[in-house]
Structures are given as C-alpha cells and as structure tokens.
Amino acid sequence: CPSCQSELKKIEDEAVLRCLNTYVCPEQQKGRIQHFVSKNCMDIDGLGAKLVEQLIGNHLIQNISDIFYLKIADLIKIERMGEKSVNNVIEAINKSKETNLWRFIHGLGIRNIGENASKILAQKFNTIEKLSNVTIDALININEVGDIMAESILQFFDDIKNQKIIKRCINAGLKFKDEKLQSNQLKGI
C-alpha cells in the first residue's frame, strides 16, 4: 500500500488488489471518514476533505466515532479554524446526531452496500441492533440482497472493531429518526 506500506491482497471474486489494513492505513481512515460525513451519508457540513485530513494528522480522530467527541478546544487548534468556523462544525456535528438509520448504515461504508441497499436494510430491520444481529437467511430472503451483499453485512458486523465504533457513536448521543417515529406510532396502539 502506498499509504501504510502493508501488503496488498486480492480478494476473492474481485479484480483489484486492496489494502486490508482498514483501521491503521491513513488513506483508508481518511476515505472512510470522508464518506461518513458526506452529503449522501451523515451530511456533516464543514467537515470537508481538508479538515478531515488535518484532524487525522493531528491525531484528533481515527475513525468515524471520534467525530462525535470533538470539542471546541480540539478544533480551535487546527490551522485556519476561527471561532465561527469551529462553532459551525460543532453545530453541524451535533445536528447530525439525529439522523435517519439508512444514512448511518450507508455512512458505515459496508462493502457492496450502497445508498439504496442501506434504505432497504433500514426499512426491513428498523434498528441498528437488529441489523447487527441479523442472520444470513434473513438477509438472503430480502429480494434486493444477494449472497455477496449478505456476506459483506455479516463480515462487517462480526468485526469487533466495527461493533465498538457503532457503540461509541450511539453512546455519543446518535439517535435515529426512523426508530423514534416507529416508537411514537406504537404508543398510540
């Protein structure tokens, strides 16, 4: 890998070589975080590529969950970050803590799972807990989910590091609008 020097591997059924050093490779960290904060995922305004790079470079974030623990004191140290910019970023992060489940699923960057599949999974399972404990049979029984997608989902949620990252996000106050709507609908029954 040109970024972390680890050996590139060819994954079964894929034509490309990949760096599998997911949590340590700086380029993978940067890519995963940029994807997470993007408009199609968590839509955290002000956290652009340059700032993400600076936050990683200054060891303020290493994964997506670290974003929710950033403080004004952390951001004010970053070059070209004035008080107004810092406040705007913190406000955008706090605003993003109430989001749709599908946005979070998409933001996790599960291999072979795009925006449409994320919406289907959110609708089918309703909570991140149900999705993280899903069986292969439950996944394959969804029309739009095939074997490769199902395997990617299972591998992602089987990884203890991914489980910890998701738990940290939720512990930081992340709430899903879809779940809140469902529980409110059930209260009236």
Side-chain angles (χ1 to χ4, degrees):
C1 173
S3 180
C4 69
Q5 310 310 312
S6 67
E7 185 180 343
L8 299 175
K9 306 256 185 203
K10 187 172 188 314
I11 297 177
E12 191 177 316
D13 297 329
E14 290 189 16
V16 296
L17 291 171
R18 294 193 183 276
C19 171
L20 301 179
N21 200 6
T22 308
Y23 300 99
V24 179
C25 178
E27 284 303 310
Q28 285 206 41
Q29 282 179 320
K30 186 170 69 172
R32 291 171 75 83
I33 293 168
Q34 286 174 343
H35 173 73
F36 184 77
V37 303
S38 71
K39 194 155 201 65
N40 291 338
C41 296
M42 296 299 287
D43 192 19
I44 303 177
D45 199 32
L47 264 180
K50 196 77 163 164
L51 181 54
V52 167
E53 205 169 297
Q54 288 177 302
L55 291 169
I56 292 170
N58 286 305
H59 308 289
L60 294 171
I61 60 174
Q62 294 179 346
N63 63 60
I64 61 171
S65 68
D66 295 334
I67 292 166
F68 297 115
Y69 294 90
L70 286 171
K71 305 278 185 259
I72 290 173
D74 297 326
L75 293 174
I76 205 76
K77 298 174 194 171
I78 301 293
E79 187 178 322
R80 294 192 174 157
M81 288 293 289
E83 191 175 328
K84 185 175 181 172
S85 298
V86 167
N87 287 328
N88 288 342
V89 169
I90 294 293
E91 187 178 321
I93 291 169
N94 288 331
K95 183 180 167 193
S96 78
K97 287 182 182 178
E98 189 166 327
T99 189
N100 296 96
L101 178 59
W102 73 263
R103 285 185 172 279
F104 182 67
I105 294 168
H106 184 44
L108 291 173
I110 304 169
R111 188 176 307 248
N112 302 309
I113 305 300
E115 185 175 325
N116 189 51
S118 298
K119 289 177 180 177
I120 291 165
L121 293 169
Q123 185 177 16
K124 181 75 177 167
F125 297 104
N126 304 318
T127 70
I128 196 70
E129 290 80 17
K130 287 180 186 172
L131 178 59
S132 65
N133 292 306
V134 73
T135 64
I136 188 100
D137 292 334
L139 289 169
I140 291 174
N141 285 330
I142 301 170
N143 279 342
E144 295 84 353
V145 177
D147 293 345
I148 292 172
M149 290 170 73
E151 199 55 48
S152 292
I153 294 164
L154 292 177
Q155 284 176 359
F156 182 87
F157 287 107
D158 281 347
D159 187 326
I160 194 78
K161 290 178 184 171
N162 291 332
Q163 292 172 20
K164 286 179 180 178
I165 288 169
I166 291 167
K167 187 172 183 161
R168 270 192 91 222
C169 289
I170 293 177
N171 288 343
L174 189 65
K175 293 191 180 7
F176 303 111
K177 294 176 189 175
D178 350 45
E179 291 176 5
K180 194 164 74 176
L181 286 174
Q182 274 195 335
S183 63
N184 286 343
Q185 288 171 349
L186 293 175
K187 283 180 186 173
I189 295 175

